[in-house]
Amino acid sequence: MAITNWQEKRDRYVPRGLGNGNRAIADRGEGATIYDENDNAYIDFAGAIGVMNVGHSHPKVVEAAKEQMDKVTHPGFNVVMYDSYIELAERLSKLTPGDFDKKTLLLNSGAEAIENAVKIARKATGRQAVVTFTRGFHGRTNMTMAMTGKVKPYKYEFGPFAPEVYHAPYPYVFRKPEEQSDEAYVQSVIDEFDLFFKTEVAPEQIACVVMEPVQGEGGFVVPPKAFVEHVAERCKEHGILFVADEIQTGFARTGAWFASEHFGITPDLMTLSKSLAAGFPLSAVVGTADVMDAANPGEIGGTFAGNAVACKAALAVLDVIEEENLNERAEVIGQQLENQVHEWQQELGFIQGFRRLGAMVAFEVVKEDGKTPAPEKTASILKAANASGLLLLSSGVYGNVIRFLTPLVITYEELEKGFQILEDVLKQQ
């Protein structure tokens, strides 16, 4: 009865525009399992959309947050400073790629980090234009909606959007023309990117290029290294700041602290959030010290930005990733996921387009021709999985990509239980 009551209250008092993949009421979480108020267990392959890399209610994170709450909850960094903000800024500045002086601004959400990265880039360069990529996702604020490359559900009827935002091509090897080799296709997208500077916006006008090293909401699309390197080189050539949006890819998800490391690039600015603080609202912009110092006092910041409790939790998260070797663990989990999906692929023809970087894993659900997206079947799989005790998410502009964002502390038993649930669901389709 309690669940029905909560569902009625949700429908009455919470806007319907806020989607719910699973309508159970979470009561507690441990590692990679969530329990509802009736003690039903849900294996978590979603991780709160990539937030829970260190798992639910990790004891060290909980302890750190409680310790901070006993001291001071929020003095407001703009009003009076506190050590957890400064310590976290130091650790992130040293942890992110680049052997140069860096500084860190702490904020609340991923979208807010993107907004501030754009502000800083414009201030530092004196330019206005911002370049993002087709299928990219950067948030739901007005500026980040303009930067996002998927209309429904994120942008439809919410305009007008911020001006001077341009969308460049981004390779999607699984959906390349059949007659092209992988190499020829990648080169064609590189050529399109160069042409973009002639047909859409002059490089002299561009403040920054904002790129997800692996596209998240766009379908876990992993770009070829040659393309990422080319974009970074063009940015350097034209004095454009390269911004790596590592909000979903960061903090061990891809088997490295940050996905940029896999591509051998050193961004001028990085945006971080999601798994940074294990569920406490926190984000960051980290970048070259002189660029970060372009803004004058009072021009960046916010009332709740870099909350003391969230900062303390984030420091514990960084410790957990190091102590529990979660970068290495991500690759192990990713390989287990790959092995399992390949088994399903051999038996079930509608599973195609597998890709992964570390434990950032996805496959596409397609129709009989092996290529045409099958969003209806994807939705059916997700619904059945959630009803069977597996939290699972889709992504992609076609709505046909099933993605895996398991906590990196997931046990072998939890992983196997999740596999069994999903296998039963897939075989019923």
Side-chain angles (χ1 to χ4, degrees):
M1 292 298 295
I3 289 181
T4 301
N5 184 47
W6 281 116
Q7 303 319 307
E8 290 175 354
K9 286 185 177 182
R10 182 262 177 266
D11 292 339
R12 181 173 180 181
Y13 297 112
V14 180
R16 66 187 184 91
L18 180 63
N20 299 109
N22 188 303
R23 287 173 64 87
I25 302 298
D27 180 68
R28 68 188 190 280
E30 300 170 7
T33 303
I34 291 178
Y35 298 87
D36 70 14
E37 57 185 352
N38 291 326
D39 213 35
N40 297 309
Y42 295 84
I43 303 299
D44 190 359
F45 276 20
I49 319 180
V51 171
M52 306 309 298
N53 284 2
V54 302
H56 296 277
S57 303
H58 193 290
K60 291 190 175 181
V61 177
V62 172
E63 180 183 1
K66 286 181 177 179
E67 177 185 333
Q68 181 62 53
M69 290 179 71
D70 285 337
K71 295 171 62 179
V72 61
T73 55
H74 186 65
F77 196 76
N78 299 84
V79 178
V80 58
M81 300 190 300
Y82 38 92
D83 56 1
S84 57
Y85 188 116
I86 298 170
E87 184 180 357
L88 182 59
E90 177 186 17
R91 288 187 67 175
L92 291 176
S93 295
K94 292 179 177 179
L95 187 64
T96 47
D99 294 327
F100 46 79
D101 289 341
K102 295 192 288 292
K103 292 191 175 184
T104 296
L105 169 70
L106 299 177
L107 302 153
N108 299 290
S109 70
E112 193 175 6
I114 294 291
E115 292 253 6
N116 277 273
V118 170
K119 284 173 62 177
I120 292 166
R122 285 174 166 171
K123 189 80 172 183
T125 63
R127 305 173 182 180
Q128 283 74 50
V130 175
V131 172
T132 60
F133 293 86
T134 182
R135 294 183 311 276
F137 178 85
H138 301 287
R140 291 180 173 88
T141 61
N142 187 268
M143 181 68 195
T144 56
M145 278 192 295
M147 297 169 67
T148 289
K150 182 179 180 180
V151 176
K152 292 184 178 181
Y154 304 120
K155 303 170 69 170
Y156 185 63
E157 296 183 334
F158 287 120
F161 303 114
E164 290 300 314
V165 176
Y166 302 86
H167 295 260
Y170 188 108
Y172 192 170
V173 175
F174 177 66
R175 300 211 163 270
K176 69 177 179 62
E178 295 288 346
E179 66 274 9
Q180 274 188 311
S181 66
D182 288 359
E183 293 76 12
Y185 170 71
V186 174
Q187 186 58 52
S188 71
V189 180
I190 287 174
D191 293 342
E192 286 181 38
F193 181 78
D194 287 344
L195 183 61
F196 174 88
F197 285 157
K198 299 181 183 299
T199 61
E200 300 296 328
V201 58
E204 295 84 3
Q205 294 179 286
I206 302 171
C208 60
V209 169
V210 183
M211 173 189 279
E212 296 168 278
V214 178
Q215 290 189 325
E217 299 300 312
F220 279 29
V221 179
V222 183
K225 185 177 181 181
F227 176 76
V228 181
E229 289 176 335
H230 183 82
V231 173
E233 288 169 3
R234 285 291 174 269
C235 287
K236 187 175 181 180
E237 176 185 345
H238 294 292
I240 300 167
L241 296 177
F242 185 101
V243 182
D245 179 347
E246 296 261 12
I247 289 165
Q248 193 163 166
T249 54
F251 302 104
R253 172 54 50 187
T254 66
W257 278 102
F258 306 103
S260 299
E261 298 172 55
H262 293 287
F263 300 96
I265 59 171
T266 303
D268 298 294
L269 297 170
M270 295 180 69
T271 56
L272 312 173
S273 191
K274 287 193 179 285
S275 277
L276 169 58
F280 288 91
L282 188 66
S283 65
V285 181
V286 186
T288 308
D290 59 344
V291 171
M292 294 295 292
D293 275 342
N296 297 308
E299 291 183 343
I300 54 177
T303 301
F304 297 104
N307 169 267
V309 179
C311 289
K312 200 69 173 182
L315 290 167
V317 166
L318 301 183
D319 290 341
V320 170
I321 293 173
E322 291 177 347
E323 293 165 3
E324 300 186 18
N325 300 312
L326 294 189
N327 282 307
E328 293 81 359
R329 178 66 181 151
E331 180 57 31
V332 171
I333 293 168
Q335 189 61 61
Q336 290 174 313
L337 285 162
E338 180 175 348
N339 294 342
Q340 182 60 76
V341 173
H342 283 169
E343 283 186 26
W344 294 333
Q345 206 166 359
Q346 291 174 5
E347 184 177 352
L348 304 169
F350 61 81
I351 295 177
Q352 298 293 332
F354 175 85
R355 57 260 192 175
R356 82 174 178 94
L357 191 61
M360 197 168 186
V361 179
F363 65 80
E364 301 205 19
V365 179
V366 297
K367 297 185 177 180
E368 292 180 359
D369 62 5
K371 210 64 176 283
T372 303
E376 297 85 2
K377 179 174 283 190
T378 307
S380 175
I381 292 168
L382 294 182
K383 183 177 179 180
N386 275 274
S388 301
L390 177 66
L391 303 180
L392 196 64
L393 298 171
S394 64
S395 64
V397 294
Y398 304 107
N400 74 312
V401 176
I402 290 180
R403 54 175 162 167
F404 299 96
L405 284 165
T406 68
L408 301 178
V409 297
I410 192 169
T411 65
Y412 178 78
E413 291 74 22
E414 287 172 317
L415 200 56
E416 284 297 308
K417 186 175 180 181
F419 285 160
Q420 190 58 61
I421 294 171
L422 185 52
E423 182 171 309
D424 291 344
V425 168
L426 291 172
K427 289 183 175 179
Q428 291 169 8
Q429 298 302 308

